Amino acid sequence: WILMVTAQTPTNIAVIKYWGKRDENLILAINDSISVTLDPAHLCTTTTVAVSPSFQQDRMWLNKKEISLDGARYQNCLREIRARANDYEDEKKGIKISKNDWQNLHVHIDSYNNFPTAAGLASSAAGFACLVFSLAKLMNVQEDNGRLSAIARQGSGSACRSLFGGFVKWVMGKEEDGSDSIAVPLVDEKHWDELVIIIAVVSSRQKETSSTSGMRETVVTSALIEHRAKEVVPKRIIQMEEAIKNRDFPTFAQLTCSDSNQFHAVCMDTSPPIFYMNDTSHRQVVLTSGWILSCVVAYTFDAGPNAVLIARNRKAATLMLQRLLFHFPPNSDTDLDSYVIGDKSI
Ligand code: DP6
């Protein structure tokens, strides 16, 4: 017999960034963060997990290529889910798995992203969230998404926030074992559904510093990071929660842009400095600055050159996209690959 579960998980974009760990193995952050989860139709991971007594070892395929599950991040997620597995029975199919059997049964995992992994769009967030969620369903784990987020966090920090839709806060927590470092939903996806997200995918593929090593270097070498984590972010989190609750776009946009700017400032304050934004990213900020001043658009950049633009509503998004396509048509001269609508199509 073979038992299978398929799940789909969208990626998320942080508006108050996570950058820096207090524990590398458990993946515990040095500050809280807040993100918006995208619509699954556009940027998501689909994962099928299967179990069968005929499987000889745990195996995984990502975008049709087999990858190793040896890394600590995969092993931690698999171990934590197996530890919470429950009895499963399907009389019709004659399948009976007891709680302890899961330790000896192997899984096959098939995962793919509906967006090009090479586009430099964060895929680990959706990937680990989907892996943990689908394994939990397969093994009949009864814990809620908050508890599951603490497991997904051990795959990739930002993944914990993809277990919920809408706006989500990752509470850094205080406990050494990370038990209180979980994602909490702030408002669901219906609360502020006029927002439209456009991602400008920059085509140059220069080798980037991964988030994992980048934030490690920042924590060790930046003099600004402590000020950011201890003084700036705690205040911003409170203001951002309030802005989201009130659908206050001007405050939301100002906080989002400032936090992106400060995240890139601590990257530049790292030794050697890390440059995630490039000339195209800078030109996009300049082009959108009028809209930013008139509070119809916010921008944010993650650990790469792609601009994530959050428009106040569909009308603003349409106008912005027209202007972007005029000034920055996707081709080699503009260094742009494509525009991905992360929310609804317009
Ligand atoms: C800039 O979650 O990819 O996107 O925990 O080491 O896997 P690891 O890092 P990751 O870092 C994300 C950094 C960010 C900001 C954010 O998503 O909050």
Side-chain angles (χ1 to χ4, degrees):
W1 53 262
I2 181 164
L3 189 64
M4 268 196 272
V5 167
T6 299
Q8 212 172 46
T9 311
T11 194
N12 70 77
I13 304 285
V15 289
I16 302 289
K17 307 285 185 201
Y18 142 57
W19 198 250
K21 297 184 182 74
R22 61 185 170 92
D23 185 309
E24 290 267 344
N25 180 47
L26 288 169
I27 310 197
L28 301 175
I30 57 168
N31 60 259
D32 293 349
S33 54
I34 294 179
S35 61
V36 56
T37 299
L38 302 186
D39 187 304
H42 302 285
L43 293 156
C44 79
T45 300
T46 304
T47 300
T48 299
V49 287
V51 65
S52 166
S54 64
F55 293 165
Q56 300 298 305
Q57 63 187 98
D58 292 338
R59 295 174 73 181
M60 176 161 178
W61 290 262
L62 177 60
N63 297 325
K64 299 202 162 81
K65 265 204 190 136
E66 182 156 15
I67 61 160
S68 163
L69 283 171
D70 288 347
R73 291 171 173 225
Y74 284 112
Q75 288 304 315
N76 288 350
C77 290
L78 282 162
R79 187 195 61 242
E80 293 296 314
I81 292 290
R82 280 195 170 109
R84 290 163 178 79
N86 283 304
D87 298 348
Y88 176 86
E89 190 168 1
D90 184 332
E91 275 181 24
K92 269 199 220 138
K93 289 188 187 149
I95 304 174
K96 196 170 177 187
I97 306 168
S98 82
K99 210 174 161 143
N100 298 325
D101 292 343
W102 290 109
Q103 303 299 328
N104 307 313
L105 282 167
H106 294 291
V107 288
H108 282 186
I109 304 160
D110 184 20
S111 192
Y112 74 88
N113 300 321
N114 70 346
F115 53 94
T117 312
L121 298 168
S123 54
S124 67
F128 276 104
C130 203
L131 174 71
V132 165
F133 186 82
S134 51
L135 283 173
K137 292 293 157 227
L138 181 77
M139 299 189 188
N140 203 12
V141 173
Q142 297 299 320
E143 305 204 353
D144 62 23
N145 281 10
R147 301 272 25 116
L148 293 182
S149 78
I151 302 175
R153 190 203 71 228
Q154 297 175 52
S156 180
S158 52
C160 72
R161 298 183 309 234
S162 270
L163 263 302
F164 296 100
F167 281 92
V168 185
K169 171 160 138 181
W170 170 13
V171 182
M172 61 180 278
K174 290 191 190 75
E175 300 299 332
E176 260 180 49
D177 65 359
S179 53
D180 57 350
S181 185
I182 58 168
V184 184
L186 294 177
V187 292
D188 69 17
E189 54 277 15
K190 289 189 253 18
H191 173 77
W192 204 353
D193 62 355
E194 61 264 43
L195 296 181
V196 178
I197 296 166
I198 295 174
I199 303 170
V201 183
V202 175
S203 59
S204 65
R205 302 267 175 271
Q206 68 263 64
K207 180 123 184 60
E208 286 157 20
T209 312
S210 74
S211 305
T212 309
S213 61
M215 65 177 86
R216 186 183 303 131
E217 286 158 23
T218 300
V219 168
V220 175
T221 63
S222 166
L224 294 181
I225 188 70
E226 197 171 322
H227 174 67
R228 166 172 166 76
K230 294 217 171 110
E231 306 293 330
V232 181
V233 175
K235 289 189 194 111
R236 273 189 190 154
I237 290 278
I238 297 169
Q239 294 167 334
M240 184 58 101
E241 282 191 53
E242 200 58 24
I244 291 168
K245 212 172 73 199
N246 299 329
R247 292 188 287 259
D248 169 0
F249 194 82
T251 309
F252 169 81
Q254 187 265 320
L255 290 167
T256 299
C257 298
S258 300
D259 203 69
S260 174
N261 294 345
Q262 191 179 65
F263 155 52
H264 291 278
V266 296
C267 289
M268 281 178 69
D269 188 48
T270 301
S271 179
I274 308 167
F275 304 104
Y276 285 125
M277 290 170 72
N278 64 14
D279 285 353
T280 307
S281 324
H282 295 145
R283 288 207 306 274
Q284 298 248 336
V285 172
V286 172
L287 186 81
T288 49
S289 58
W291 286 312
I292 288 155
L293 285 175
S294 48
C295 296
V296 290
V297 169
Y299 64 78
T300 185
F301 291 81
D302 275 340
N306 305 318
V308 178
L309 302 163
I310 308 176
R312 185 175 198 151
N313 51 35
R314 186 172 285 243
K315 193 175 151 211
T318 310
L319 287 172
M320 185 173 70
L321 196 56
Q322 276 167 358
R323 179 120 181 250
L324 287 167
L325 287 168
F326 180 75
H327 288 277
F328 287 95
N331 64 41
S332 52
D333 291 345
T334 57
D335 196 25
L336 268 176
D337 236 12
S338 59
Y339 291 99
V340 177
I341 315 296
D343 198 345
K344 306 176 190 69
S345 2
I346 53 169

